[in-house]
Amino acid sequence: MTTSPVDVWAGPLTTPDHAAYMARQTPVLTAQHMSVVYQVTPPVEAVRDVSLVLNRGEILGLAGESGCGKTTLAYAINRLLKPPALLTSGEATLHDHSGEDIDITALSGDHLRAFRWDKISMVFQGAMNALNPVISVRAQLFDVFTTHRPDMGRAEKEQAAKDLLTLVGVDPDRLGSFAHELSGGMRQRVMIAMALALRPQVMIMDEPTTALDVVVQRGILREIMRLRERFNFAVIFITHDLPLLLEISDRIAVMREGRIVEVNTAKNIFEHPQHAYTKKLLSSFPSLLGETGGFVRTGDEDLNPSSPDTDDPMGGIR
Ligand SMILES: Nc1ncnc2c1ncn2[C@@H]1O[C@H](COP(=O)(O)OP(=O)(O)OP(=O)(O)O)[C@@H](O)[C@H]1O
Ligand SMILES: [Mg+2]
């Protein structure tokens, strides 16, 4: 009988300096041994025994090729799975800033509705096309407040909605606009405003900028970084765009066939990848042979990612 590396799985690869990094952090979300099966014929084991810690205020990149289970894992954490998807094992816990630990997997009914969006919000994959076409931006933001903050008066909601648009770089005059009157970038900014509305402790962003052109994408990413600094929410940032993750993430988890095969600081993932699959992913982006990290964090537009003069930070790994 042959055993594939997946069969002899012993937990994600990491390094001692990653352990040291984790020891300095405070967790906001913990996922333990989560498995999700799509109950179709034959069944699809989309997420397999995933454990993950997200620290307060950190950006955790979740990388991996299409179909590896990123969105399914995000849904499992936020209790958004619908049949035929079934969580077959594991749990997720939010370590609330009040000090209370909330077992997300045990929530139901009103407790679950009150929890979602308030503690963990999500920018859905393809969200930019998910704004309701027949109601205005204002009405959609008001809906969030009406559901979760029933004590807010109309004037208070109006002010909060204006403030949110300003925060994400959209003119508050746009509150009366409908989705079709906004550019793709603006629609995505509005979705981020909705996700920020209740000041969640965790935001899950599933390919939030993939459909946008590079300039718009970078503007939005800088906004997210700035907002994160200001409000200290943590982000699980999902994308198959590894170069992008290397620029924006504190840590990166690499997912393959439903499992997290490696998790480490972005620097270590880049400079000292441990898992063969991580090395393969890195080598599939030739532009990674130069410097990274300057663009989004510092706004250095002139950064030349493939300058022949730079040392080889890949350590010869191709
Ligand atoms: N409703 C469904 N029924 C059956 N299988 C599904 C269903 N939704 C997803 N899957 C399968 O589950 C696996 C994980 O899918 P998922 O959408 O989580 O991947 P992903 O990493 O988010 O991919 P992408 O990068 O393309 O968004 C894939 O094999 C997919 O085909
Ligand atoms: Mg997905």
Side-chain angles (χ1 to χ4, degrees), residues 155-173:
E156 211 183 336
K157 284 186 219 172
E158 179 75 14
Q159 191 56 50
K162 281 185 176 161
D163 291 348
L164 279 169
L165 286 200
T166 308
L167 269 181
V168 296
V170 174
D171 188 331
D173 287 351

Side-chain angles (χ1 to χ4, degrees), residues 65-72 75 125 206-207 238 240:
E65 67 199 49
S66 186
C68 72
K70 304 180 296 296
T71 298
T72 305
Y75 276 44
Q125 191 165 10
D206 194 353
E207 303 274 9
I238 300 174
H240 51 257

